[in-house]
Structure formats: structure tokens, C-alpha cells
Amino acid sequence: MKELIITSLLGISILALDIVKLRKAILPVIILGLLGTITSCILDWGHNENPFNNNMLLFDNYALGFIVILSAVTLVWFLISTDHFSGSESRTDLYALVAFSFAGAMILAAYTNMVMLFLGIEILSIPMYVLAASNKKELISNESGFKYFFLGALASSILLFGIALIYGATGSFDLPTIATAITTNGSGTILTAGLLMIIVGFAFKVSIAPFHFWAPDVYQGAPTMVTALMSTLVKGAAFAAMFKLFATAFAPTLDFTQTIFVVMSIITLLASNAMASIQANTKRLLAYSSVSHAAFMLAAVMLANTISPSVLMYYVLVYSVSSIVTFATLYHISKAQNGAEGFDAFKGLVKRNPILAGAMTLALLSMAGIPPLSGFMAKYFIIGAVIQADQIWLAVIMILSSAIGIYYYLKIIMAMFTPIENAGRIVITDLQRILFIILSIAMVALFFVAAFVK
Amino acid sequence: MLTEYAFWFLSFLAVFSALTMVVTKNPVYSVLSLILTFFAIAGHYFLMNAQFLAAVHIIVYAGAIMVLFLYVIMMLNLNKFEDEKKSLFMNSLSVIAGCILGFVLLAVVKRTDELTIVAKASSAEVGLVENLGNALYKDYLLPFEMASVLFLAAMVGAVYLSKKEMV
Amino acid sequence: MEKLVSLIPLFPLVGFLYITFFGKGLSKNLIGGIGSGAIFLSFIVSIAVFTTQLHGGNPTTVKVLDWITAGTFDIDIAFIVDPLSTIYLLFITGVGFLIHVYSIGYMHDDEGFNRFIAYLNFFVFFMLILVLGDSYVTMFVGWEGVGLCSFMLIGFWYKDMKNNDAAKKAFIINRIGDLGLIIGMCIIFFQTGSLKYDELYISGSEASSLQGWHLHAAAIFLFIGAMGKSAQIPLHTWLPDAMAGPTPVSALIHAATMVTAGIYMVARSSDLFSASDIASDVVTYVGILTAILGATIALTQNDIKKVLAYSTVSQLGLMFVALGLGAYSIAVFHVITHAFFKALLFLGSGSVIHGMGGEQDIRRMGGLKKYMPTTHITFLIGTIAIAGIPPLAGFFSKDQIIAVAFENNILIFVLASLVSALTAFYMFRLYYLTFHGKFRGTHDQEHHLHESPKVMTIPLVVLAGLSIVGGFIGFPHAVGHSVHFPHWLDHFLEKTVVMPFMEADVATESILMIVATVIALVSTYFAYNMYKKNEELALEDDEIESSTHLTLVNKYYIDELYDKIIRKPVDQLSAFIGKFIEPNVVDGLVKQVSAIPQGIGAATKLVQNGKMVMYILAMIIGLIVLLITLI
Amino acid sequence: MMEILPNVTINHYLMLSVALFTIGAFGILFRRNAIIMFMCVELMLNAVNLTLVAFSKLWGGTDAQVFVFFIMVVAAAEVAVGLAILMMLYRNMHTTSTDVLDKLKW
Amino acid sequence: MLTIALIALPILLATVIFILGGKAAKNIALGGSLVQLALTIFAAIQLHQGQTALLNFNQVWMGSLGINLAFSLDGISIVLALLSAVVSPLIIYSTFNKTLKNASVFYGLILLMLGSMMGAFLAADAFIFYIFYEIALIPIYFLILIWGQGEDRAKVTLKFFVYTIFGSLFMLISLLYVYQHTTPRSFAFDAMYQAGQALSVVEQGLVFAGIFIAFAVKMPVFPFHTWQPSTYQAAPTAGTMLLAAIMLKMATYGLIRLVLPMVPDGLTEYGSWAIGLSVIGIVYGSLMAIAQKNFKLLIAYSSIAHVGLISAGILSGNIQGVQGGLFEMLSHGILAVAMFYVYDMFESRLGHDDINKMGGVRDGHATFAFLYFALVMGSVALPFTSGFVGEFLLLIGLYQANGWYALFGGLTVVLGAVYMLRAFQKMMLGPASAVTTAFSPMTKQDKIILIVLVALVAILGVYPDPIMKMSNTAVESILATIR
């Protein structure tokens, strides 16, 4: 609970600091706030199993784990993107929006009530709509923001209809109560319809086919660092929420939903990887790759009653780390050459900035799932679980799409190692350099500590 | 008896004006039809003893949201026919998709016989301000507080987007 | 005493290594001395080992080194000492030594002298391994090794690509045979679990577990190996080409020793072959065909070495006839006598070529008798020996082959007699054209004509002596009984090879001997008549009109045929695969597979077209599809 | 049991809200004017609200009505942001047609 | 502990080189690889004496998943360990005459690759094996990408990388499938063998298919080979050596370790297609080699032929085939390094490797000709060269599976001679020419490397028994688990 308070206050205090013209203090406050959140989570670890405030939130280890991961991601994001908004005069607004969004993410990790779910999603999303459109002069940013917002609103209404039907069938918004009701009464048509509509709502949020079409457009149009946030914070939180929902409230229906999830995963994998492999724009490519990773995480949700949530947590963490690195690198590269985002922009990076190139290479290899990088273990856990659930076909498709994934990730790596003439250095700050190095180490180190998953 | 007639009347009104909202070409008419729909829905709330909600509904939707819409339309000077170029293909596709969706949803929700309803206490007085207030400020205090965060965020966002950059 | 056997191959090996690595500054005579000395030492040891067998020693194996271990497949480098191997040892080292000595003179002026001697040593080493090996695998070591040395020596003058091609041809055709041999070994191992002679044939007679088609297949595949090495149809084409090598090589490898490895191997496997009638028939018919083919082609060849080469092919064919008919010891007998006189003939021809300054065409020779007396005499002895005129070596061995053929198969008998007649004819044709008549070469050549040095002629003389007396080791019954030396070789070999069932009475045998002699004499007379008396000359290439003659000169166009049906198709197939299959079919498949994502992508593009309505439509259709499952 | 008003069952209300929901969805597909489409979303949200109120009547608890309240709150916030985005879009594009938004594709 | 040292040493040294950089890199690398060689020989002696205390290592890594850091050096692993330990100093030394940009990274990557390949050879846990199997790809990928030759190397490496990973992911599925049937869950080889053998025949056949595709791509076996010639051509010579000499051995080694004992019934019942493909690959690779005019491509295709034979022999599943396969791996590794070194000598001296434009080098380069010829003989599997022992046993083994396979596979005996001799003749023989003069005499480095390699070829050919005896027991015990 403390965590949520800290975070909410964080957003407000950012705004307050702006008002009192203490802009210099904003970043330290953010760092303090996020570190405070992490510390508080660690202190609460294992102690807090009681739900808060009439079963609205439950800060159990599941929630705390996700909160720690998401706060760490947000913290890194803030540090690594310090120069992203430096040009913008009203960057405090954006910082505050990120902080609010993070609060929403936190709610999604800890909710135990549909109301909180709904609110969490909206608190997470509404700032994101704005952030996606935050590059106000850019038409594509506008387009991105609008598409995100509008389709998001549509998805929300479908999700809400689903929640309404679930309420109609069970008479409750409380997750455990819903689970009990389903177990005692069985799942009728209305309940299942509600369930399906909730799936649609979530599928939209986490970009699962055929509800993913917004994702590449929005990711591409949004400012790069915002995209980084979308693919880490938003996605992680949405999956945390989804997993929780299907591990508690809808656990009795998982056998039914499994087929749906399998089909959706397969479609997602095929569509996203196929599209990614024909992209010329790396940002859009990464967007599609993000969609394909969603399919892996969806598999974790699908197996919510057999798999340990730590598998999903691990995946989110691993994916977030590499995702932040890729988008941050892309940001630096594209900033250095007038917003170019094609493969050519990456050419000669190994000379222009070896640290960026190294970190990017590791990140891409990690996403591709090549040992000894953490991405391999993450995928391994999922595929192993999928096979255990006897969904061999899904596993095969996952494997095939991983191979396609390697193809397009390597295209970027290839470009980085293609020498070019008279390339200027790409300058990054010391802090960023350290962060890139830390993240690189993390990508390898997470592989070896994967033992603690489960 | 009366409620039954009221139900049918309000329902018809809601559906009709909703359809008008969709098909009419003039955005202003659309807004006005939607407001009519909202009133009809508010009427339903009254029928179902949700007086507080009906009031809030009128205030928020008809009073605030739709006014906002109207305001935007006026400000952007959209109160004229804007030619929407659409292919017949997409049109028919959307009609077909809409019809099937409606059909499917209807087919689904008519299965209420499968529901096992366990009615709760104090059913008659539910919609009153007192009860709702209790629920809102006791059970749902946290969401209520978080709603304020949501508003703050939305406000900041809207302000950010609307203000001119002073560079 | 038997332990000494491991020294036999060691000497040539050491000789080879020493000359290769330390021979750089040494004088040619010293090198020659080392090379021939090594062989001579081996010869001495061979005699010692031979005597143990002569005095009734039992076949023994001497293990040198653990070699290959794979489960039950356990092969050592070990040497078998038994009559068959020791008799081979004797003539390999003996003839080998003589040819080494001869080479010192013959190759004296060649810049690759050291290399030559080293290679010869190396060859002898492998040849010894071949006959000493106690299992098929060890034999195969020598088998391939001699092929390697043959390759190196045929292409000895590597600057001429023709030599290299001949060398390559020899190696590759041999390899085809080797593949057969390998498969044969595979079959034997698969069926019996062993490849060692003593387990297979001598002690346990494991070979009896070879039954049915396995037996025939094993024997036939082994014989394919023999076909390659011993130049039998259809793998014979390399041997005439192999004459591209220096003449001592032709004498040693392509006449006396290596090419008889096939006979050795079949004799070694006599248990196997005698059990398989099909294989034996195959061997017989292939042998007789080869014999006829070789003999007929030899009639028309004008290159002195080519004549001898085809003669070798033909003689080898006869040996296989003997093998096929079950007369293994007689085949070995013919191998030995053949080694003597064919080595003699080759060395003699080498002497001629040496004297002629490299000229090999008998149409450019004639009347050499007076310039090279020693060579002439020894060559004549060789010719008589091969023609089968008693009492020289060739007579005894060939006669017995014909006798066996008579016992078993009249058709073969007739054909073998024909071969015998042809042999006498073409050999005397060669002899007369070379040594009689008047000299037809250039003035320069005439001026330089000289007898070869002692170091070359002494081996000739020794070999001539052996060609005269060599046949006595295998007197046929008729003569043998009278000198108390009947079939000495047969008795000596009977421990290791299967003896034919042959009970011809003395009268038949004697008649056959007389018939054979008459045939040889008659065709000698024909040759004499044509080439000596009428002084007919061989036609120049462009004068030939008769199509039969042309076919023979062109060796039945077999090379051309192979070129057409094997080499070209393989090349074309390779080119086709390389140009079409690989990029289009195999890699094309890969490309097709990798195009699948692009295809899916292209389809997805239709929806992902940037228009929001499409996305909404997709969502709603998705929703509908999900909900429709509920109805 | 299923009657929540005299002679009016839950089914009636569900059908009504489904009708409204579908009209909203249809409108979104059918129209290209961003504002109208946005209004259609609002209509869909109202359909949800109506459902919830009807269920609330059926179940007799306050939860659903509180939920409706929150939906309204969120809808208001969404409208604020949405219209801000729309305005911005209009400033740059001078149209509210969603058809012109196809810079981002494939 | 020794096993860990064998894996850790190159990796640690690689890290050192990465960090220190500079000119010392190549000497550190060479020194390290020599130490590695010494350690391996020490390990071999230990194994020979039957002291396995130092050779086994087992440490729980992910206990709940049954993944252990288990390494063990047995008679099979030692062959491969020896191969990579023997060959790696030579490979490193072979680059000494080249000026490389970022030399420290280059040598570091080579060492990394050696470490990971060693890891795969020594692993006693299927998961660890898989990890190392994959890791090895990364260094070689960068070696080719950065130091390779040709404009299209980026494309080529892409194909190589994607293709191989694509294959090995199937192995992952198969392994996971078997893993699901272990009780308690464990990736340890023994447990996997048990679980695999308990599967139904159809399941085994499918598991086999998955694993085989992975190895088939890596080896490569027809028709999964199309990445290989172009990759070999694009790679720097040292990289090609690593690929051909050691890396593809991970796949053939995997056949022995993972396929034979894990899915024996599936192999016998449904495995003949794999043997068939391997056999086709033998002939196909040979024919392709005949069609090549570039020496490097010729060796590349000949490698396909050789590896096809190894694969077919091992899959025939009897001790002769497996032993032959093991030994042929060793031999092929040594010969591949040698052949590519010869290629490099020509390439660096003449600037091309078109055999049609060569000739006459034999004249005046007698020593080189001798050494090269010895290598040619080794690669056509002449007895008393290392090539023979392996190839012969493989054919013996293959025959036991199917006589026709042996007959077709045996064609390599003939076709191998065709292309190798053709190449040798075109390159070395014939009259002296401009090429002869352009071909500068062998340097000390050339001599050392070639002489060592030729000596190895000869020694292993004449006296292979110590190694064969070592592996014999291990192979027997692995095959014993099957029946």
C-alpha cells in the first residue's frame, strides 16, 4: 500500500516542484521515489498477504515482485532518457504523466477487484495516450496518439461490457468471489461471453492478434523513448494484470480458454514475425518483435494454473531490459542522424559507439533467445511449459518464429558491424554509458540466476 | 403496467436516437441525438430505482461530456457536412459485421436462464444516494481516491496537449 | 625365426624414409646402394623366413602393433607367415632387388633419382605389407599403398600432364576396385564377425557361416577389388596407360608384383571362392575375356611397352582363369614365372629404350641385335618363356592352366589355347621388329645406340636365368614324376590354398603339353614368317584401313566408351548439380521456405494498411469469431 | 426471478444494451468522422452502464452502481484527453476524418 | 575439476584478452591453447589410468528444473576434447602471419568459441549441452561478420546463423519433450536416456527427427547444407577451420550422445530416412566437389561428403559405425585444418583459389608438395593415414545397417579420389609456370603447421589404437544401454 501512496505522491510532487520552480530537483525526487518504492517492496516481501481496503488491492509477493520489476524498469527509463525531453519545455508534465502511468501499472499488479482493474488500466493508459502524442508537431506522433487513444477506448468499452456480463453472471467484482461463483455455478454462456470480451480487451492492451494492429503503428509513431515505456511498463503491467485475472478469477475456466489462447498465440507469432521480417524501419521492426514477445507471455497466461508466476515475471524483466536497451539505442542513433530509423542508420555503430553497439547486440541476441543471454532462458521456460501442457504445435510455431526472429534481429546486428566511412561518434553521457553497461551485464547475469525462477 | 410502457418507450427512444446519431450527416444533429439517447438511458435508470446514477448521468454526460463535444464541433467549425469518402465494400462490410455482432450478442445474452441469481439484502433502496455514498466512501474509497489520480493525469495530459509550446 | 618377418617390410620403409629425409646431399650411387641394399636385406630375411616354411613350419602370425579396435572388430598390424606369403615375399624382394639395381643405371641421369629410388622402396614396403598382412584389412593397407606408389611412379615425370592423367586414371580405377574390396570385406565381417585369415580360413573356418548370396556377393566383390588391381575387364584400361611411368616401374609394379596382388588375394580367399561356384565362374569368364582382349590388342600395338602391357593384361587374365577353375596354386605358379619373364621383358625393353634415347615405337627400331647383344639374348629368352615354349618357365605354368581348363571346360580350353597362340605371335612380332631387320630410327639414334651398362644388364641376365629355370618349381605330373619333383609348389602351398581336384593321367597331360608346344611353335613360325622372313613392317597409324585392325589399335574403343558413359556423365552430372540443382532445387527449397514469412507478411499488409477502420473491423471480427463459438 | 421490473425481465434490458452497444460498434465502423466515432464509443460505454444497472437491480447490490459511477468518471477523463488529442490532430491536419491517418502502416 | 578447467580456461583467457587487448593477445591465445592442450593430454592420461575423480563434475544449477552443471569426460568426449585441443593452437598459430584489425577481439572470440565447444563436448547434461552448442555460434558469427571476406558476407552469415539456430531449436523441442517424461525432471543424460527409451516408437521417431534436423543443419547433411559452402567461403580461414574442424563435430558428437542412446527404437524404426539423406549427401557432396573450381569450395563440399559418411555410420548404430565416426571426426578435424591451411597458403600467395589458374607449384616446392600430397592421401582415406581408419570402420558399420547404403556411401572412396587428385594435379603438377614463381617458399610457420598436421595424420593412421581403446569402452557402454 505504501508503494502506491509513494507513487501517487510522486506524480503530484513532480507537478508541485514544477510549480515552485524547482525543476532541478525533479529527477532526484523521481529517483528517490522509485527507490523508495523498491525498498518498501523489499521490506514488505513476504509480510503482506492481507488485501487492502475491502479487497481492492493485495500486495502479496506476486504484486511486489512485479512492482519491483516495473519500478526498476521505470527508474532505468527515467535515467536513460534524461535527454529525451530536455528540449521540451513542459517535460515535467510528461514526467508526471509517466509517474501516474506507473501508479496505474502498480494497481494492475496488485488489484483484486474489477473496479481496480478497470481504473488501473485507465490510469496506465490515459497518460500513455498523451505521451504517444507528446511530440505535438510530428504528424506521426499525433496519428500514433490518436490511434492508440481511440482504439484503446474501444477496447476499454469491450472490456467493460465483459466485466458487466461477468458481474451479471456472478454478482461480484471481487476476483476470489468470482472464482468461487464460477466453481459453484459453472460457467454459463453469459459468463463465457463476458470472459471472451475481457480477453478481447486484454488482447488489445497486450497486443495479441487479431487485436494487435494498433501496436506497430503506435509504437512507430510515438517518440522512441515513449515506445520503450509502452513495450516495457505498459506491457508488463498489462500481463501482470492478465495473469492475475486468469490465475485467480478465471482459473476454473482455463481449460476452455486455453484453446483460444493457443490459437491467438499462433496467429500473433505468425503475423508479427512475418511482418517484422519485411520491415525496413527498425523501430517498427522492434514493435513487431514486441508483439511477438507478447505471444510468448500470453502462453504464460494460458498456463496460469500450472506455471509459476515467476516465469512471467522473469520474462517481463528480461524482455524489458533488452527492450529498453534497444529502444534507447535506437533513440540515440536516430537522434544523431535526423531521425533516421532504417537499417542504414545502424551502419558502423560499432565504430561510432562501441558501448551502444555492444549493448544493442546483446539485447537483440537476448530477444532472439540465444544463450547465454537471459532471453533464452525466458523463452525456454515458456516453451518448456507449453510442451508440458501438450501444446506441441504452439511450441513448434514458437520455435519457428524464434528462427524468423533471429533473422530480423541479425539484420540490425549486421548493419551495426558494417563499416562505413567518415562516421562521427555518437555521444552519450557518462550516466547513460554506465547504464548501458549495467544493462548489458544484467542481460547476461539474468541468464545465470534463472535458477531462482520457480 | 406503467413501467412496462415506460420501458418500451424509453427503449425505442434510445435505440432510435442512437441510430440517428450514427447515420445523420451533421455532427451537431449527432450530438443532439446522442443527448436524447442519454436522456432515455437516464429514464431507464429512474425506472430501475437508480436515481442517483440517473442524476449523475444527466450531469456528467448530457451536461458535461456532450457539451464538450458540441463545443469542440463548434470550435472546429465542423457543423457542416463533411464528405466521408467510403467505399461500398467497406460500408457493406461494416453493416454486415455490425449485424452479425448484434445477432451474436443477442444470442448470447438471451441465455439468462442459465444464471443463478442469489439476491442480496436491501435491494429496494440500492439506488439511493445514502447507500451509494456509503459504498463509495467506505468500500470503494480507494478506487475513489485513485479516480482523482486519474483525473489529475487526464488533466495534465489534456493541458499538455492543448497548450502551445513556447519555444 | 618367424619373428624376423617384421623386419622384411621395415628395411624398405627405413630406406624410403632415409632417402626422403636425409638423401639430399648423398651421391646417386650411395642412394641406389641404400635403396637396393634395403631390398636385399629384406630378401635375405625372406629367404630365412621362407626356409622355415619350407621345412614344414606351421603358419604363424606375428603381431607388430595394435591397430584398430571397435568392439568385435579388432584388427592388428600383424604379419602372417605361411607358404603363400613367403613365396610371394621371395619373388617380390628378389625381383624387386634386381629391378632396384637396374634402376640405378636406368635412372642415373634423371634429376628425380633420389625420389625414384625412395618411391620404389616405398612400393616394396607396401607390397610386402600386402602379402604379409594377416587380415584383409592389413592386406588392404598394402593394397592401397601400392596403388599410391603406382600413382606416384606413373606420374613420376609430373611436368607432363599426360603422365599425371595416366597416374590419376590408374588410381581412380583402382579405387573403384578397392570399393568392391571394401564392400566384400563388409559382407565378410557382417556375416562372420572377422576379417582375419586365420579365424576365417585356417583355424575356426568362420567362413562357413557365409552362406547363400552373402557368399557369392562376398566373393564377387572381392573379385571386383582384384579386377581393379590386376587390370581385368572392365577395369583394365589403366594398366596400358600406366606405362607412362619409367620402365623399371612398369617392370616391378605393372608386371611383376602389384598387378598380381589380385591373384594373391583370390588365392588367399580360396576357401571362399572354391565355395562359390558363381563367383568362380565369374572369375573364369572375366579372366578369359581379359586374356583374349589383351592378346588381341597386343597384336597391333607399336609401342614396345604397350605391347608388353597388354601382354600383361592378357597373362593376368590367364591367371584368373586358373583361379576361377580352382587351380589356385597354378595361378600362383604362373604369377611367379610371369614375374620373372615379364620383369625381364620390361627391363629389356627399358634397356632398348635407354639405348634408343627414349624412343618406344618399334616402327622406329629394328636390327638392334647387333648393337645390344646382352639385351637381345635376354629379351629372346623372355620371349620364348612367355610364348610357352619348353622348357622355359612360361611353358610349365601356362601349360598347366590350359590343362586345368581342359579338365573343366572345353570352351575355356580352346580360348586359352588361342590366347597362348596369340601370345607367341605378338611377342615374336615384337621381338623381330625390334631386334631384327634394319634400323628404322633416325641417324642420331643410330649413332647413340649402345648396350646398357652392367648395372642394367646383370639384372637382365639374372632374370633370364630365372626365366629359364623358374618353371621347374612346378613340374606337371608327367615330367615331375620322372625328376622326383612333381608339383613341388602345389605341395608347398596346400596348407594355405585349396587344391583343385585334378586327376589327369600322365598320358592326357603329356598330350596336352605337346599340343601346347605345337601351338606356340606354330604361331612363332607365323611371326617369323611375317616379320623376319618377309620383313613385313608394322603399319603407320594413318595407313591402317581394316576396321578390325583399327578397332584393335584403338583398344576396342573402351577408353572412349568409358569416357562417354562414365567420365562425361559424371562431369555433366556434377556440373548440372552445381549449376542447377544446388542453387535452384536445394537452395531453392530453402529460399521457398524463407519466403513463407514474406508471404504471410504480404497478406497481413492488407489489413495493416494504416486505416483505423481496418483495425476496428479486425477487432470486431475477432470478437465475433470468439463469441460465435458460444452459440 | 428474472423480472427486474413488472413484466420487464433482465433479458429486455440486456437486449436493449446489446442493441445500443452494437449500434455504437456499427457506428465506429460506419463513420469516418473522428468525433462521431468517439461519440459512438461513449454510446457503447453507456450500453455497458445500462447493463450494469440492470444487473445491479437483479442482484440487489450497490457494487454495480458504484462501478457505473467509476465508468462515468473515466469516461469524462477519456473525453478530456481524447478531445485534446483530436484538437491537436485537427490543428495539424485540418480534418477530423480518420481516413487521412495512414502515415503509419505495414 | 579438470573438466571445468578445460572449459573455463579459454573463456577466462578470452575475457582477459578482451580487457587487456593489445599486441599480447595472440601470444596469450596461443599460450592458452597450448596449456589447454597440456591439460587435455593430462586428462587423457587420467582417463587412461582409470582415475575419473577429476574428470567428473556435478553441481546443481537449477535444481527445481533438474538442470545441473554436470560435466564429465569419458572415452567419447576425450576424442573430441583432444581434437579441439590439438587443433586450436594450430588454428591460432595459423593466423600469426596476418595483420588483423582488433586482433584482441579476434583471438578472444576464438578462445570463447573453443571454450563453448569444449563445454558441449564435456557436458553430461542435455541442457548444458544445448546451451554450449548454441553459444558457440555467437563468436563464429562475429568472426565471419567482422573478419570475413567478400561483400555479401553479412548476408551469408545471416543465412548461416538463422539456418543453424532454426535447426537447433527443433532439438530444443525434442529435448524438452523427452525431459517432460523424466521422473524426477532432469536433463542429466542418464535420465534422458531412460525417459527417451521409454517413449513409444512413434514418439521416439519424432524426437529423433527434431534432433536430427538440428544436427543435420550443423553438420551439414544434404539437403540442409546450402549455408555451408558460402559460409566457408566468406569466413576468414581461421573461422573456416574452426567451423569445419571442431564446430560441426558438435553435431556428430551429439548424434552419439543424444540420438543413439535416447531414441534407439525410433532410430531403427524411422531413422532410415536420415541415413538415406546422409548417404545422398556423400554422393552429392562429392559430385559438387568435382564441379568446383575454387579450392575452398571444393574442400567445403568434400566436407559435406565426409560428414555425411560420419552421420550415416553413426546412425547405423553399431559399434563399428560409432567408433569409426568418432575417429573420423578426429581425422576430419585435423585434415580440415590442414586443407584450409593449404588453401590459405595459395590464397595469400596468389590472391585467388581458382584451381584452373594454378599449376606447376610442385617444381621447386618439393617439401610443400610432399606435405600437401600426404594430406591429400589422408583425405582420400589411404591406409596408414588417419582418414582410413575412420572411413573404413564407418563403411563396415554402415553395411550392417544396409548394404546399399554402404555401396553408395563407399562411392566417396572413388569420388573423393577424383576431386582431390584433380585438385592436387591442377594446383601442383604440370610444367613450371608463372604460378610457380609467384608461389613463394614456405615460411617457418607454414612448415611447422603442415608438418605437425601431417605427422598427426600419419601417427593416427598407423597407431590409432590408444584412442580407439579409450573410446571403445565408452561407446560399448553407451550402446549397451540400448539393448
Side-chain angles (χ1 to χ4, degrees), chain C residues 201-214:
Chain C
Y201 305 128
I202 299 172
S203 59
S205 198
E206 296 273 349
S208 57
S209 53
L210 271 170
Q211 297 288 342
W213 70 265
H214 288 294

Side-chain angles (χ1 to χ4, degrees), chain A residues 122 136 142 168 217 284, chain D residues 59 78 88 92 104-106:
Chain A
E122 291 302 324
K136 286 188 276 183
N142 293 344
D217 290 11
R284 201 169 171 82
Chain D
W59 283 96
E78 250 180 22
M88 183 183 66
N92 290 330
L104 301 164
K105 59 186 168 190
W106 297 330

Side-chain angles (χ1 to χ4, degrees), chain C residues 88-135:
Chain C
Y88 255 84
L89 282 184
L90 270 191
F91 84 82
I92 291 168
T93 48
V95 174
F97 168 67
L98 293 174
I99 292 173
H100 270 72
V101 174
Y102 177 90
S103 304
I104 300 172
Y106 188 82
M107 297 299 286
H108 201 270
D109 301 328
D110 199 283
E111 55 174 343
F113 181 80
N114 287 8
R115 196 154 59 87
F116 187 77
I117 300 291
Y119 287 177
L120 281 187
N121 263 320
F122 202 40
F123 167 78
V124 173
F125 163 70
F126 275 124
M127 194 65 210
L128 292 170
I129 297 275
L130 193 160
V131 298
L132 278 174
D134 80 322
S135 68

Side-chain angles (χ1 to χ4, degrees), chain A residues 311-346:
Chain A
V311 170
L312 179 65
M313 254 181 236
Y314 184 71
Y315 203 107
V316 167
L317 175 61
V318 163
Y319 174 68
S320 300
V321 171
S322 19
S323 192
I324 286 235
V325 170
T326 47
F327 282 110
T329 313
L330 176 64
Y331 165 71
H332 283 294
I333 289 166
S334 123
K335 193 175 73 169
Q337 29 205 351
N338 301 325
E341 285 166 354
F343 290 115
D344 286 349
F346 282 87

Side-chain angles (χ1 to χ4, degrees), chain C residues 583-630:
Chain C
N584 294 327
V585 179
V586 181
D587 205 28
L589 212 64
V590 178
K591 279 179 191 139
Q592 289 303 313
V593 169
S594 60
I596 291 176
Q598 324 238 321
I600 300 176
T604 320
K605 265 185 176 179
L606 293 177
V607 184
Q608 189 92 49
N609 63 356
K611 304 264 197 247
M612 242 166 50
V613 61
M614 262 321 210
Y615 303 172
I616 297 165
L617 196 63
M619 282 174 76
I620 290 192
I621 291 176
L623 178 63
I624 291 172
V625 169
L626 284 180
L627 287 176
I628 240 166
T629 57
L630 295 179

Side-chain angles (χ1 to χ4, degrees), chain C residues 121-368:
Chain C
N121 263 320
F122 202 40
F123 167 78
V124 173
F125 163 70
F126 275 124
M127 194 65 210
L128 292 170
I129 297 275
L130 193 160
V131 298
L132 278 174
D134 80 322
S135 68
Y136 281 109
V137 187
T138 339
M139 180 203 72
F140 191 71
V141 174
W143 187 273
E144 290 262 88
V146 291
L148 161 73
C149 295
S150 156
F151 169 83
M152 296 194 297
L153 286 163
I154 296 170
F156 181 74
W157 289 306
Y158 56 84
K159 287 188 187 170
D160 189 346
M161 274 324 247
K162 250 175 46 199
N163 298 344
N164 294 327
D165 288 341
K168 192 171 76 178
K169 185 172 171 186
F171 195 85
I172 288 166
I173 292 181
N174 265 300
R175 276 261 154 161
I176 296 174
D178 295 350
L179 173 57
L181 183 50
I182 290 176
I183 299 293
M185 287 193 264
C186 287
I187 299 172
I188 295 174
F189 180 77
F190 186 42
Q191 293 298 315
T192 67
S194 174
L195 284 171
K196 289 184 180 169
Y197 302 142
D198 57 352
E199 287 168 12
L200 280 170
Y201 305 128
I202 299 172
S203 59
S205 198
E206 296 273 349
S208 57
S209 53
L210 271 170
Q211 297 288 342
W213 70 265
H214 288 294
L215 171 70
H216 304 307
I220 288 174
F221 274 111
L222 287 185
F223 175 59
I224 291 176
M227 278 154 109
K229 198 100 302 182
S230 298
Q232 297 299 293
I233 291 177
L235 301 179
H236 65 283
T237 55
W238 65 271
L239 184 56
D241 285 14
M243 297 303 136
T247 310
V249 170
S250 313
L252 179 60
I253 301 179
H254 304 121
T257 55
M258 182 185 93
V259 289
T260 64
I263 287 94
Y264 167 79
M265 195 259 289
V266 175
R268 209 19 120 189
S269 324
S270 55
D271 284 283
L272 196 65
F273 280 87
S274 57
S276 165
D277 44 344
I278 298 180
S280 292
D281 283 353
V282 170
V283 174
T284 315
Y285 287 105
V286 168
I288 194 70
L289 270 179
T290 313
I292 292 173
L293 178 113
T296 48
I297 296 176
L299 289 174
T300 60
Q301 296 301 307
N302 294 320
D303 182 321
I304 185 168
K305 288 179 69 179
K306 282 270 163 76
V307 177
L308 292 175
Y310 280 105
S311 157
T312 308
V313 171
S314 159
Q315 296 297 314
L316 289 167
L318 280 183
M319 295 173 203
F320 277 103
V321 170
L323 292 173
L325 297 173
Y328 302 100
S329 57
I330 292 170
V332 173
F333 181 29
H334 196 55
V335 165
I336 295 165
T337 56
H338 179 256
F340 296 150
F341 57 69
K342 194 49 72 59
L344 169 62
L345 287 169
F346 265 114
L347 293 187
S349 75
S351 177
V352 169
I353 295 164
H354 194 69
M356 292 286 295
E359 180 60 63
Q360 300 193 8
D361 192 333
I362 49 175
R363 287 170 300 199
R364 310 280 166 270
M365 298 177 184
L368 296 183

Side-chain angles (χ1 to χ4, degrees), chain A residues 275-357:
Chain A
M275 287 303 281
S277 66
I278 57 174
Q279 290 308 316
N281 182 308
T282 49
K283 196 165 163 190
R284 201 169 171 82
L285 187 155
L286 290 172
Y288 279 111
S289 116
S290 168
V291 175
S292 88
H293 283 280
F296 276 86
M297 296 190 242
L298 183 70
V301 174
M302 165 185 107
L303 305 168
N305 50 6
T306 56
I307 214 174
S308 150
S310 55
V311 170
L312 179 65
M313 254 181 236
Y314 184 71
Y315 203 107
V316 167
L317 175 61
V318 163
Y319 174 68
S320 300
V321 171
S322 19
S323 192
I324 286 235
V325 170
T326 47
F327 282 110
T329 313
L330 176 64
Y331 165 71
H332 283 294
I333 289 166
S334 123
K335 193 175 73 169
Q337 29 205 351
N338 301 325
E341 285 166 354
F343 290 115
D344 286 349
F346 282 87
K347 279 198 173 159
L349 184 63
V350 72
K351 274 266 176 295
R352 304 178 68 186
N353 192 327
I355 288 186
L356 277 186

Side-chain angles (χ1 to χ4, degrees), chain C residues 66-67 69 71 164 175 582 587, chain E residues 159 284 301 380 425 461 465:
Chain C
D66 280 331
W67 194 29
T69 315
N164 294 327
R175 276 261 154 161
E582 174 90 352
D587 205 28
Chain E
K159 185 172 174 183
Y284 187 92
Y301 280 106
V380 301
Q425 287 192 344
D465 207 57

